[in-house]
Amino acid sequence: MSPVIEEHARARLITDGPLTRPVPVDLRYDATEDPRTVHITLPGGTDWAFGRDLLERGLRTPIERGAVRVWPCGRTQLIVELHSTDGVEVFQFEIRTLIRFLARTRAQAPATATPSDGTPEMRPSRTTPAATTTRPERGAPATRG
Protein backbone atom coordinates (compact mmCIF):
# COMPACT_ATOMS: atom_id res chain seq x y z
CA MET A 1 0.00 0.00 0.00
CA SER A 2 1.26 3.45 -0.90
CA PRO A 3 2.09 5.75 2.03
CA VAL A 4 0.04 8.53 0.39
CA ILE A 5 -3.73 8.45 0.80
CA GLU A 6 -5.76 10.67 -1.51
CA GLU A 7 -9.52 10.82 -1.62
CA HIS A 8 -11.65 12.97 -3.86
CA ALA A 9 -14.68 14.29 -2.03
CA ARG A 10 -17.43 16.83 -2.33
CA ALA A 11 -18.17 19.55 0.16
CA ARG A 12 -20.76 22.26 0.15
CA LEU A 13 -19.52 25.82 0.14
CA ILE A 14 -21.68 27.78 2.57
CA THR A 15 -22.30 31.39 1.52
CA ASP A 16 -24.25 34.38 2.80
CA GLY A 17 -26.92 33.69 0.20
CA PRO A 18 -29.79 31.25 0.48
CA LEU A 19 -28.08 28.58 -1.64
CA THR A 20 -25.01 26.47 -1.04
CA ARG A 21 -23.06 24.93 -3.86
CA PRO A 22 -21.18 21.65 -4.06
CA VAL A 23 -17.45 21.90 -4.71
CA PRO A 24 -14.83 19.20 -5.31
CA VAL A 25 -12.11 18.88 -2.66
CA ASP A 26 -9.17 16.55 -2.28
CA LEU A 27 -8.27 14.97 1.03
CA ARG A 28 -4.64 13.93 1.30
CA TYR A 29 -2.42 12.24 3.86
CA ASP A 30 1.26 11.34 3.54
CA ALA A 31 2.66 9.46 6.55
CA THR A 32 6.22 9.93 5.31
CA GLU A 33 5.81 13.71 5.09
CA ASP A 34 4.19 14.18 8.51
CA PRO A 35 2.11 11.47 10.18
CA ARG A 36 0.13 14.06 12.19
CA THR A 37 -1.00 16.20 9.26
CA VAL A 38 -3.83 16.00 6.73
CA HIS A 39 -4.40 18.25 3.73
CA ILE A 40 -7.61 19.61 2.24
CA THR A 41 -7.13 21.05 -1.23
CA LEU A 42 -9.90 23.39 -2.33
CA PRO A 43 -10.98 24.40 -5.84
CA GLY A 44 -8.32 26.55 -7.44
CA GLY A 45 -5.51 24.61 -5.76
CA THR A 46 -5.54 26.29 -2.36
CA ASP A 47 -4.15 23.75 0.11
CA TRP A 48 -4.76 23.76 3.86
CA ALA A 49 -2.63 21.52 6.05
CA PHE A 50 -3.50 20.96 9.70
CA GLY A 51 -3.37 18.41 12.49
CA ARG A 52 -5.26 15.20 11.82
CA ASP A 53 -6.43 15.26 15.43
CA LEU A 54 -8.25 18.56 14.74
CA LEU A 55 -10.59 16.80 12.30
CA GLU A 56 -10.94 13.78 14.59
CA ARG A 57 -11.92 15.92 17.58
CA GLY A 58 -14.16 18.11 15.43
CA LEU A 59 -16.29 15.06 14.60
CA ARG A 60 -17.38 15.00 18.26
CA THR A 61 -17.16 18.54 19.58
CA PRO A 62 -16.43 22.08 18.37
CA ILE A 63 -12.71 22.83 18.25
CA GLU A 64 -10.65 25.78 17.09
CA ARG A 65 -6.94 26.17 16.46
CA GLY A 66 -5.62 29.34 14.94
CA ALA A 67 -7.42 30.01 11.67
CA VAL A 68 -9.30 26.69 11.55
CA ARG A 69 -12.60 25.89 13.27
CA VAL A 70 -14.31 22.50 13.04
CA TRP A 71 -17.60 21.36 14.54
CA PRO A 72 -20.26 18.70 14.03
CA CYS A 73 -23.55 19.83 12.50
CA GLY A 74 -26.20 17.32 13.43
CA ARG A 75 -25.43 13.62 13.12
CA THR A 76 -24.30 13.55 9.50
CA GLN A 77 -22.47 16.79 8.72
CA LEU A 78 -19.21 18.46 9.74
CA ILE A 79 -18.43 22.14 9.28
CA VAL A 80 -14.89 23.31 8.52
CA GLU A 81 -14.35 27.07 8.72
CA LEU A 82 -11.11 28.47 7.28
CA HIS A 83 -9.96 32.02 8.03
CA SER A 84 -7.41 33.87 5.90
CA THR A 85 -6.52 37.41 4.96
CA ASP A 86 -9.09 37.08 2.14
CA GLY A 87 -11.89 36.37 4.58
CA VAL A 88 -13.69 33.23 5.72
CA GLU A 89 -14.70 30.14 3.78
CA VAL A 90 -17.10 27.65 5.31
CA PHE A 91 -17.46 24.09 4.01
CA GLN A 92 -19.91 21.39 4.99
CA PHE A 93 -18.73 17.78 4.69
CA GLU A 94 -20.49 14.46 5.03
CA ILE A 95 -19.18 12.98 8.28
CA ARG A 96 -18.99 9.48 6.81
CA THR A 97 -16.56 10.71 4.12
CA LEU A 98 -14.19 12.13 6.74
CA ILE A 99 -14.55 9.11 9.03
CA ARG A 100 -13.58 6.81 6.16
CA PHE A 101 -10.62 9.01 5.22
CA LEU A 102 -9.40 9.33 8.82
CA ALA A 103 -9.69 5.57 9.36
CA ARG A 104 -7.47 5.02 6.33
CA THR A 105 -4.92 7.52 7.70
CA ARG A 106 -4.84 5.79 11.10
CA ALA A 107 -4.20 2.45 9.40
CA GLN A 108 -1.34 3.98 7.40
CA ALA A 109 0.24 6.02 10.22
CA PRO A 110 3.49 4.73 11.69
CA ALA A 111 3.00 3.08 15.08
CA THR A 112 5.27 5.67 16.70
CA ALA A 113 3.27 8.65 15.43
CA THR A 114 1.04 10.11 18.10
CA PRO A 115 -0.88 13.37 17.87
CA SER A 116 0.40 16.13 20.09
CA ASP A 117 -1.34 19.29 21.16
CA GLY A 118 1.65 21.14 19.73
CA THR A 119 0.78 20.06 16.19
CA PRO A 120 0.43 23.13 13.98
CA GLU A 121 -3.18 23.56 12.96
CA MET A 122 -2.22 24.68 9.47
CA ARG A 123 0.77 25.57 7.35
CA PRO A 124 1.60 26.04 3.69
CA SER A 125 1.66 22.79 1.79
CA ARG A 126 4.98 21.49 0.59
CA THR A 127 3.22 19.71 -2.27
CA THR A 128 1.31 22.67 -3.71
CA PRO A 129 3.65 25.49 -4.77
CA ALA A 130 2.37 29.00 -4.13
CA ALA A 131 2.61 29.71 -7.86
CA THR A 132 -0.27 27.31 -8.55
CA THR A 133 -2.38 28.55 -5.65
CA THR A 134 -4.99 31.14 -6.54
CA ARG A 135 -4.78 32.73 -3.09
CA PRO A 136 -1.22 32.17 -1.81
CA GLU A 137 -1.84 33.94 1.48
CA ARG A 138 -4.54 31.38 2.36
CA GLY A 139 -1.98 28.76 3.36
CA ALA A 140 0.08 31.19 5.44
CA PRO A 141 -0.11 30.61 9.18
CA ALA A 142 -2.37 32.99 11.04
CA THR A 143 -0.76 35.20 13.63
CA ARG A 144 -2.47 36.09 16.83
CA GLY A 145 -1.28 38.52 19.42
Side-chain angles (χ1 to χ4, degrees), residues 89-100:
E89 288 186 303
V90 181
F91 295 89
Q92 183 178 26
F93 288 87
E94 292 287 328
I95 283 180
R96 68 178 176 232
T97 301
L98 293 174
I99 288 173
R100 182 177 55 243

Side-chain angles (χ1 to χ4, degrees), residues 3 5 29 31-32 35-36 52 103-114:
I5 296 170
Y29 173 75
T32 59
R36 298 170 298 186
R52 179 176 60 174
R104 291 177 64 202
T105 68
R106 281 191 301 275
Q108 187 67 38
T112 58
T114 56

Side-chain angles (χ1 to χ4, degrees), residues 35 45 101 123:
F101 172 72
R123 66 174 191 274

